[in-house]
Amino acid sequence: MGSKQQQVMTIDAVALPQSWGSGSNRIAAMNVQGRTPSPNINTSKDFGQHPDDPNQKKPGWRRFLSFVGPGFLVSLAYLDPGNLETDLQAGANHRYELLWVVLIGLIFALIIQSLAANLGVSTGKHLSELCKAEYPIIVKYCLWLLAEIAVIAADIPEVIGTAFALNILFNIPVWVGVLLTGGSTLLLLGLQKYGVRKLEMLIAVLVFIMAACFFGEMSYVKPPAADVLKGMFVPKLSGQGATGDAIALLGALIMPHNLFLHSALVLSRKVPNSVRGINDACRFFLIESGLALLVAFLINVAVISVSGTVCSAANLSNDNKHQCSDITLNSASFLLQNVLGKSSKIVYAIALLASGQSSTITGTYAGQYIMQGFLELKMRKWLRNLMTRCIAITPSLVVSIIGGSQGAGRLIIIASMILSFELPFALIPLLKFSSSATKMGPHKNSIYIIVISWILGLGIIGINVYYLSTGFVDWLIHNSLPKVGNVFIGIIVFPLMAVYMIAVIYLTFRKDTVVTFIDPTKDDPAAQTRMETGLGNPNATELDRVHYREDLADIP
């Protein structure tokens, strides 16, 4: 290393304040100039890692495989019953015109999921823990409550989707199926005692079945490739309800609890405690998230294409025309009749059951780490799942008893709207923390990522707020309630909307005050020597040399 060459060096872990609770190593890095290494100093390019580190001797693909898992687990949320419902309706109502919304939504999802992964890898803390450290106590508890509501809102489509699947398979009432969903996921989580890999394989098989159904049908109905590509790359909103369906698609794709989840999932992997180790891990997680979201994108495209092609066919029967005009998860099995014939209902129900059960597991883990981060509480997974599921079952049960399957289907759309409203309270802290030198140090976002992510983030937040606000005002004007009822509703809702806007503005423009990135060279000359050597503490164990969280090591 030349004496005038600028190099980025690394150091040992620096302890966090005790108020952060258990858990992580710190990474700090700085530029050092004008230093001449002593003869005993390791001058290899892998600063911060021992020359004999076995991780560095592995081929690149084997190192990548050790990071695979978090992105695919998170991507299950993009294949939940809420997504299937909005995909089916978008295809039936607008054919392929809204495919561009799915493309933009998943590109943005890739960006923000990568930011969440980078935040966890670089800081050793997940998003909810950083929110707890940064915000005042009242704001902290408000963010925690909103995050829990988001988990419950995301669980509602999974409850209803599973109930619909049980209704199709066993012809039991939807409300009975809602009650039975309380134990179904507990049973699935119980399989973990036979090994996490077996659970992962079961989920993978279930998702593969769902994908195979729609890809098989798409190969049969053969949607016109030119129209599909046009819908994917030419933005267009025409026809009645196109804007609403586009907002519903975005709301179903971009879920706030996924940001908390992904930043925690990456901490279950052993990341070398060095600048290069951090950068490699961030790159591997980006590639893995890209592959996982590509699979999710193709499945979403297949569902929309099948729905659009079948419902726009010239020889469609009157019964199928009626089903297409008001398509729901409970009535969509006819879309697979061309490939599967009479067994289409059974296979579709299994695919729907796979969608609901696999995505429920992501909600369970997200709720677990939201509670652990904000409140420093950690519940058993089955207890956490039971609590969340009982809360989600209540509205689903009431609506399914009163409104039947149609009412339950509408509740899925309402849950997607709730998630749209919730998005700023996870997205804005993520964008601010990942762009902040006080949180990320040298690993903060580049100016290009900052600009792109803020433009996309604020754009989606603005569209959601505008559409939902104007939709409420339009409903208030045209509903059949007495004037007294409308006035009463307006008195309650409009102040809440004002509080909502003030909260979003507060999160956006509040200056971060808590410094969680620590530069140890200011007060510790020995730390600078260790930075130059790149060897860290010679007495450190393997876990001391990696960015690792034992409390998150049981994540699949």
Side-chain angles (χ1 to χ4, degrees):
M1 179 176 67
S3 62
K4 295 185 180 180
Q5 182 180 6
Q6 187 177 19
Q7 293 285 356
V8 178
M9 317 287 277
T10 65
I11 65 159
D12 272 347
V14 177
L16 289 173
Q18 291 181 357
S19 60
W20 278 53
S22 64
S24 79
N25 299 326
R26 289 292 317 155
I27 295 294
M30 64 173 292
N31 293 331
V32 180
Q33 294 186 12
R35 297 284 178 179
T36 303
S38 66
N40 296 325
I41 289 177
N42 169 30
T43 57
S44 68
K45 65 181 180 178
D46 295 332
F47 293 104
Q49 298 186 27
H50 195 279
D52 296 327
D53 187 351
N55 286 328
Q56 292 303 310
K57 295 181 179 180
K58 291 181 181 179
W61 66 270
R62 288 192 63 187
R63 293 175 59 207
F64 168 70
L65 288 179
S66 67
F67 290 92
V68 170
F72 280 93
L73 191 62
V74 168
S75 71
L76 293 175
Y78 299 98
L79 302 171
D80 74 333
N83 276 290
L84 292 183
E85 172 104 349
T86 52
D87 287 348
L88 292 168
Q89 292 178 349
N93 297 335
H94 311 287
R95 295 191 73 201
Y96 323 111
E97 289 183 1
L98 298 183
L99 285 173
W100 64 273
V101 177
V102 179
L103 179 62
I104 290 177
L106 285 175
I107 289 174
F108 181 57
L110 176 61
I111 293 173
I112 61 173
Q113 294 297 162
S114 299
L115 295 183
N118 294 353
L119 184 72
V121 169
S122 302
T123 65
K125 293 287 179 181
H126 51 81
L127 181 57
S128 56
E129 290 174 322
L130 290 169
C131 288
K132 176 182 181 295
E134 175 62 40
Y135 294 112
I137 187 167
I138 295 177
V139 178
K140 177 188 76 173
Y141 282 117
C142 288
L143 289 176
W144 166 72
L145 184 61
L146 290 168
E148 294 286 4
I149 292 173
V151 172
I152 293 167
D155 203 42
I156 287 175
E158 285 132 29
V159 168
I160 295 174
T162 302
F164 282 161
L166 295 175
N167 172 258
I168 296 170
L169 286 172
F170 305 110
N171 201 28
I172 60 176
V174 174
W175 67 269
V176 176
V178 168
L179 289 175
L180 292 176
T181 57
S184 59
T185 307
L186 296 178
L187 182 64
L188 202 58
L189 287 172
L191 293 175
Q192 286 191 67
K193 69 179 182 180
Y194 298 106
V196 167
R197 292 297 178 188
K198 292 183 176 64
L199 177 63
E200 289 178 335
M201 285 301 298
L202 177 61
I203 293 173
V205 169
L206 293 175
V207 173
F208 176 78
I209 291 171
M210 178 179 64
C213 289
F214 285 98
F215 282 127
E217 177 69 13
M218 189 168 72
S219 67
Y220 182 90
V221 298
K222 293 182 175 60
D227 290 346
V228 171
L229 291 174
K230 182 180 178 182
M232 204 176 294
F233 296 106
V234 180
K236 186 178 181 182
L237 290 174
S238 61
Q240 186 177 4
T243 304
D245 286 341
I247 296 293
L249 277 174
L250 278 178
L253 283 171
I254 303 172
M255 299 185 183
H257 69 285
N258 261 3
L259 307 184
F260 294 102
L261 177 64
H262 205 172
S263 63
L265 290 173
V266 296
L267 296 175
S268 65
R269 290 338 191 232
K270 295 182 180 182
V271 178
N273 199 0
S274 67
V275 171
R276 175 166 178 168
I278 295 290
N279 291 338
D280 284 349
C282 291
R283 185 174 71 254
F284 288 148
F285 283 128
L286 173 64
I287 294 171
E288 188 228 5
S289 296
L291 293 175
L293 290 177
L294 176 62
V295 174
F297 172 71
L298 293 176
I299 294 176
N300 279 277
V301 168
V303 175
I304 293 177
S305 300
V306 167
S307 177
T309 306
V310 172
C311 289
S312 61
N315 58 348
L316 198 65
S317 66
N318 290 330
D319 288 342
N320 288 347
K321 282 182 181 178
H322 176 71
Q323 288 176 312
C324 283
S325 64
D326 187 23
I327 195 167
T328 65
L329 288 175
N330 205 28
S331 64
S333 60
F334 75 93
L335 296 174
L336 304 178
Q337 283 180 348
N338 291 321
V339 172
L340 302 171
K342 293 181 179 180
S343 61
S344 62
K345 277 194 173 185
I346 295 175
V347 177
Y348 170 78
I350 293 173
L352 185 56
L353 189 66
S355 171
Q357 292 305 294
S358 57
S359 52
T360 295
I361 292 176
T362 66
T364 300
Y365 280 112
Q368 173 82 347
Y369 300 114
I370 286 169
M371 182 174 288
Q372 175 260 327
F374 279 108
L375 306 181
E376 296 185 2
L377 295 175
K378 190 170 182 181
M379 301 173 64
R380 294 182 181 274
K381 293 183 194 65
W382 69 267
L383 186 60
R384 168 73 216 190
N385 178 268
L386 186 62
M387 184 184 73
T388 304
R389 182 52 56 92
C390 287
I391 298 173
I393 278 176
T394 304
S396 305
L397 184 63
V398 171
V399 170
S400 59
I401 291 174
I402 297 174
S405 60
Q406 287 188 338
R410 292 192 189 98
L411 188 60
I412 292 178
I413 304 300
I414 294 173
S416 296
M417 291 181 176
I418 292 173
L419 290 172
S420 297
F421 263 122
E422 295 271 353
L423 184 61
F425 301 105
L427 181 57
I428 292 176
L430 173 64
L431 293 178
K432 293 194 72 175
F433 294 161
S434 62
S435 304
S436 170
T438 63
K439 297 291 188 296
M440 300 278 284
H443 302 287
K444 71 173 186 176
N445 295 335
S446 68
I447 186 65
Y448 303 107
I449 296 297
I450 291 173
V451 171
I452 292 172
S453 59
W454 273 101
I455 289 175
L456 288 173
L458 293 178
I460 289 179
I461 290 170
I463 290 171
N464 286 341
V465 171
Y466 172 79
Y467 178 75
L468 295 173
S469 302
T470 55
F472 171 74
V473 172
D474 183 66
W475 174 83
L476 202 62
I477 294 172
H478 297 101
N479 69 49
S480 57
L481 292 175
K483 288 185 178 180
V484 176
N486 285 333
V487 171
F488 183 72
I489 292 173
I491 290 173
I492 294 175
V493 173
F494 283 117
L496 291 177
M497 292 173 66
V499 170
Y500 177 88
M501 294 304 301
I502 292 171
V504 171
I505 293 171
Y506 168 81
L507 289 177
T508 303
F509 293 101
R510 179 186 182 274
K511 185 176 181 180
D512 289 354
T513 57
V514 177
V515 179
T516 59
F517 173 76
I518 303 170
D519 183 357
T521 61
K522 291 182 179 179
D523 304 313
D524 185 4
Q528 183 151 348
T529 303
R530 291 196 299 272
M531 284 177 63
E532 293 179 27
T533 64
L535 294 175
N537 182 359
N539 298 320
T541 64
E542 181 187 358
L543 292 185
D544 291 327
R545 293 198 300 269
V546 296
H547 216 53
Y548 182 64
R549 289 283 296 273
E550 290 186 56
D551 58 326
L552 303 180
D554 63 339
I555 299 176

